[in-house]
Coordinates of all heavy atoms in Angstrom, one line a residue:
L211 N -8.7 -6.8 -10.0 CA -9.5 -5.5 -10.3 C -9.1 -4.4 -9.4 O -9.0 -4.6 -8.1 CB -11.0 -5.8 -10.2 CG -11.6 -6.9 -11.2 CD1 -13.0 -7.1 -10.7 CD2 -11.5 -6.3 -12.5
S212 N -8.8 -3.2 -9.9 CA -8.5 -2.0 -9.0 C -9.5 -0.9 -9.5 O -9.0 0.0 -10.3 CB -7.0 -1.7 -9.1 OG -6.2 -2.7 -8.6
W213 N -10.7 -0.9 -9.2 CA -11.7 -0.1 -9.7 C -11.9 1.2 -8.9 O -12.6 2.1 -9.3 CB -13.0 -0.8 -9.8 CG -13.0 -1.9 -10.8 CD1 -12.9 -3.2 -10.6 CD2 -13.2 -1.8 -12.2 NE1 -12.9 -4.0 -11.7 CE2 -13.1 -3.1 -12.7 CE3 -13.4 -0.7 -13.1 CZ2 -13.2 -3.4 -14.2 CZ3 -13.5 -1.0 -14.5 CH2 -13.5 -2.3 -14.9
I214 N -11.3 1.3 -7.7 CA -11.5 2.4 -6.8 C -10.2 3.1 -6.5 O -9.2 2.5 -6.2 CB -12.2 2.0 -5.5 CG1 -13.7 1.5 -5.8 CG2 -12.3 3.2 -4.5 CD1 -14.4 1.2 -4.6
Q215 N -10.1 4.5 -6.7 CA -9.0 5.2 -6.4 C -8.8 5.2 -4.9 O -9.8 5.5 -4.1 CB -9.0 6.5 -6.9 CG -8.8 6.6 -8.4 CD -8.7 8.0 -9.0 OE1 -9.6 8.8 -8.7 NE2 -7.7 8.3 -9.7
A216 N -7.6 5.1 -4.3 CA -7.3 5.3 -2.9 C -7.4 6.8 -2.6 O -7.2 7.7 -3.4 CB -5.9 4.8 -2.6
E217 N -7.8 7.1 -1.3 CA -7.9 8.5 -0.9 C -6.5 8.8 -0.1 O -6.4 8.4 1.0 CB -9.1 8.6 0.1 CG -9.3 10.0 0.6 CD -9.2 11.0 -0.5 OE1 -10.0 11.0 -1.5 OE2 -8.2 11.8 -0.5
P218 N -5.7 9.7 -0.7 CA -4.4 10.0 -0.1 C -4.6 10.7 1.2 O -3.7 10.6 2.2 CB -3.7 10.9 -1.1 CG -4.4 10.5 -2.4 CD -5.8 10.2 -2.1
F219 N -5.6 11.4 1.5 CA -5.8 12.1 2.7 C -6.0 11.2 3.9 O -5.7 11.5 5.1 CB -7.1 13.0 2.6 CG -7.2 13.9 3.9 CD1 -6.4 14.9 4.1 CD2 -8.2 13.6 4.8 CE1 -6.5 15.7 5.3 CE2 -8.4 14.4 6.0 CZ -7.5 15.5 6.2
G220 N -6.4 9.9 3.7 CA -6.5 9.0 4.7 C -5.2 8.1 5.0 O -5.2 7.3 5.8
L221 N -4.0 8.5 4.3 CA -2.9 7.8 4.5 C -1.8 8.5 5.2 O -1.6 9.7 5.1 CB -2.3 7.5 3.1 CG -3.3 6.8 2.1 CD1 -2.7 6.5 0.8 CD2 -3.8 5.4 2.7
E222 N -1.1 7.8 6.1 CA 0.1 8.3 6.8 C 1.4 8.3 5.9 O 2.2 9.1 6.1 CB 0.3 7.5 8.1 CG 1.1 8.2 9.1 CD 0.3 9.5 9.7 OE1 -0.7 9.3 10.5 OE2 0.6 10.6 9.2
R223 N 1.4 7.2 5.1 CA 2.6 7.1 4.2 C 2.2 6.2 3.1 O 1.3 5.4 3.2 CB 3.7 6.7 5.0 CG 3.6 5.3 5.6 CD 5.0 4.7 6.1 NE 5.6 5.4 7.2 CZ 6.8 5.0 7.6 NH1 7.5 4.0 7.0 NH2 7.4 5.7 8.6
V224 N 2.9 6.3 2.0 CA 2.9 5.3 0.9 C 4.2 4.6 0.7 O 5.2 5.3 0.6 CB 2.5 6.0 -0.4 CG1 2.4 5.0 -1.5 CG2 1.0 6.6 -0.2
E225 N 4.3 3.2 0.7 CA 5.5 2.6 0.6 C 5.6 1.8 -0.7 O 4.5 1.1 -1.0 CB 5.8 1.6 1.8 CG 5.8 2.4 3.1 CD 6.1 1.5 4.3 OE1 6.2 0.2 4.2 OE2 6.4 2.0 5.4
V226 N 6.7 1.9 -1.5 CA 6.7 1.3 -2.7 C 7.9 0.3 -2.7 O 9.0 0.7 -2.6 CB 7.0 2.3 -3.9 CG1 7.0 1.7 -5.1 CG2 5.9 3.4 -3.9
L227 N 7.6 -1.0 -2.7 CA 8.6 -2.1 -2.8 C 8.8 -2.4 -4.2 O 7.9 -2.9 -4.9 CB 8.1 -3.3 -1.9 CG 9.2 -4.3 -1.8 CD1 10.4 -3.8 -1.1 CD2 8.5 -5.5 -1.0
K228 N 10.0 -2.5 -4.7 CA 10.3 -2.6 -6.2 C 11.0 -4.1 -6.4 O 11.9 -4.4 -5.7 CB 11.3 -1.6 -6.6 CG 10.7 -0.2 -6.3 CD 11.8 0.9 -6.4 CE 11.3 2.3 -5.9 NZ 12.4 3.3 -5.9
G229 N 10.3 -4.7 -7.4 CA 10.8 -6.0 -7.7 C 9.9 -7.1 -7.1 O 9.0 -6.9 -6.4
P230 N 10.1 -8.4 -7.5 CA 9.3 -9.5 -7.1 C 9.3 -9.6 -5.5 O 10.4 -9.4 -5.0 CB 10.0 -10.7 -7.8 CG 10.8 -10.1 -9.0 CD 11.1 -8.8 -8.5
S231 N 8.1 -9.8 -5.0 CA 8.0 -9.9 -3.5 C 7.0 -10.8 -3.1 O 6.3 -10.7 -2.1 CB 7.6 -8.5 -3.0 OG 8.6 -7.5 -3.4
S232 N 6.9 -12.0 -3.7 CA 5.9 -13.1 -3.4 C 6.3 -13.7 -2.1 O 5.5 -14.4 -1.4 CB 5.7 -14.1 -4.5 OG 5.0 -13.6 -5.6
V233 N 7.6 -13.6 -1.7 CA 8.0 -14.5 -0.5 C 7.3 -14.1 0.8 O 7.0 -15.0 1.7 CB 9.6 -14.4 -0.4 CG1 9.9 -13.0 0.1 CG2 10.1 -15.4 0.6
L234 N 6.8 -12.8 0.9 CA 6.1 -12.4 2.0 C 4.6 -12.1 1.8 O 3.8 -12.1 2.7 CB 6.7 -11.1 2.7 CG 8.0 -11.3 3.3 CD1 8.4 -9.9 3.9 CD2 8.0 -12.3 4.5
Y235 N 4.3 -12.0 0.5 CA 2.9 -11.6 0.2 C 2.1 -12.5 -0.8 O 1.0 -12.1 -1.2 CB 2.9 -10.1 -0.4 CG 3.4 -9.2 0.7 CD1 4.8 -8.8 0.7 CD2 2.6 -8.6 1.6 CE1 5.3 -7.9 1.6 CE2 3.1 -7.7 2.6 CZ 4.4 -7.4 2.5 OH 4.9 -6.5 3.5
G236 N 2.7 -13.6 -1.3 CA 2.0 -14.4 -2.2 C 2.0 -13.8 -3.6 O 3.0 -13.2 -4.1
Q237 N 0.9 -14.1 -4.3 CA 0.8 -13.8 -5.7 C 0.9 -12.2 -6.0 O -0.1 -11.5 -5.7 CB -0.4 -14.4 -6.4 CG -1.7 -14.2 -5.7 CD -2.8 -15.0 -6.2 OE1 -3.4 -14.6 -7.2 NE2 -3.1 -16.2 -5.6
T238 N 1.9 -11.8 -6.5 CA 2.0 -10.4 -7.0 C 2.8 -10.3 -8.3 O 3.5 -11.3 -8.7 CB 2.8 -9.6 -6.0 OG1 4.2 -10.2 -5.7 CG2 2.1 -9.5 -4.7
G239 N 2.7 -9.3 -9.0 CA 3.4 -9.1 -10.3 C 4.9 -8.8 -10.1 O 5.4 -8.6 -9.0
P240 N 5.7 -9.0 -11.1 CA 7.2 -8.9 -11.0 C 7.7 -7.5 -10.7 O 8.8 -7.4 -10.1 CB 7.7 -9.4 -12.3 CG 6.6 -9.1 -13.3 CD 5.3 -9.3 -12.5
G241 N 7.0 -6.4 -11.0 CA 7.5 -5.1 -10.8 C 7.6 -4.7 -9.3 O 8.3 -3.8 -9.0
G242 N 6.7 -5.3 -8.6 CA 6.6 -4.8 -7.1 C 5.2 -4.4 -6.7 O 4.2 -4.8 -7.5
F243 N 5.0 -3.7 -5.7 CA 3.7 -3.2 -5.3 C 3.7 -2.0 -4.4 O 4.8 -1.5 -4.0 CB 2.9 -4.3 -4.6 CG 3.6 -4.8 -3.3 CD1 3.4 -4.1 -2.1 CD2 4.3 -6.0 -3.3 CE1 4.1 -4.6 -1.0 CE2 4.9 -6.5 -2.2 CZ 4.8 -5.8 -1.0
V244 N 2.5 -1.4 -4.1 CA 2.4 -0.2 -3.3 C 1.6 -0.6 -2.1 O 0.6 -1.3 -2.1 CB 1.7 0.9 -4.1 CG1 1.3 2.1 -3.2 CG2 2.6 1.4 -5.3
N245 N 2.2 -0.3 -0.9 CA 1.5 -0.5 0.4 C 1.1 0.8 0.9 O 1.9 1.8 1.1 CB 2.4 -1.2 1.3 CG 1.8 -1.5 2.7 OD1 0.6 -1.7 2.7 ND2 2.5 -1.5 3.7
L246 N -0.3 0.9 1.2 CA -0.8 2.2 1.7 C -1.0 2.0 3.2 O -1.6 1.0 3.7 CB -2.2 2.3 1.1 CG -2.3 2.3 -0.4 CD1 -3.8 2.5 -0.9 CD2 -1.4 3.2 -1.1
V247 N -0.4 2.9 4.0 CA -0.4 2.8 5.5 C -1.5 3.8 6.0 O -1.3 5.1 5.8 CB 0.9 3.1 6.0 CG1 0.9 3.0 7.6 CG2 2.0 2.1 5.5
S248 N -2.5 3.3 6.7 CA -3.6 4.2 7.1 C -3.2 5.0 8.3 O -2.4 4.7 9.1 CB -4.8 3.3 7.6 OG -5.2 2.4 6.5
K249 N -3.9 6.2 8.4 CA -3.7 7.1 9.6 C -4.3 6.3 10.8 O -5.4 5.7 10.7 CB -4.4 8.4 9.4 CG -3.7 9.3 8.3 CD -4.4 10.6 8.2 CE -3.6 11.5 7.3 NZ -4.3 12.9 7.2
R250 N -3.7 6.5 11.9 CA -4.1 5.8 13.2 C -4.1 6.8 14.3 O -3.7 7.9 14.2 CB -3.1 4.7 13.5 CG -3.1 3.5 12.5 CD -1.8 2.8 12.8 NE -1.8 1.4 12.1 CZ -1.7 1.2 10.9 NH1 -1.5 2.3 10.0 NH2 -1.7 0.0 10.3
P251 N -4.7 6.4 15.4 CA -4.8 7.3 16.5 C -3.4 7.8 17.0 O -2.5 7.0 16.9 CB -5.6 6.4 17.6 CG -6.3 5.5 16.9 CD -5.5 5.2 15.6
T252 N -3.3 9.1 17.3 CA -2.0 9.6 17.7 C -1.8 9.6 19.2 O -2.8 9.5 19.9 CB -1.9 11.0 17.2 OG1 -2.9 11.8 17.6 CG2 -1.8 11.0 15.6
D253 N -0.6 9.8 19.6 CA -0.3 9.7 21.1 C -0.7 11.1 21.7 O -1.0 11.2 22.9 CB 1.2 9.5 21.3 CG 1.6 8.1 20.9 OD1 0.7 7.1 21.1 OD2 2.8 7.9 20.6

C-alpha cells in the first residue's frame, strides 16, 4: 500500500534504481524502486 504522497521539500535527493534489486533489499518488483534521501543536519 502506498497511500501517502512523499513530501519533496523534505528530501535531499531522489535515487531511482532500475531493474530487479532484491539482492540487497528483499521483496521488490521487477522494474526497480525509488529511494528517498531525507534532509539531514548540515556542516
Side-chain angles (χ1 to χ4, degrees):
L211 298 169
S212 297
W213 293 96
I214 293 184
Q215 286 187 309
E217 180 49 64
F219 185 71
L221 306 177
E222 202 66 77
R223 58 165 72 185
V224 175
E225 299 184 351
V226 183
L227 186 61
K228 304 164 193 176
S231 303
S232 287
V233 70
L234 290 179
Y235 296 97
Q237 48 188 277
T238 58
F243 59 79
V244 170
N245 183 30
L246 314 177
V247 180
S248 302
K249 288 181 175 178
R250 292 162 167 77
T252 57
D253 293 333

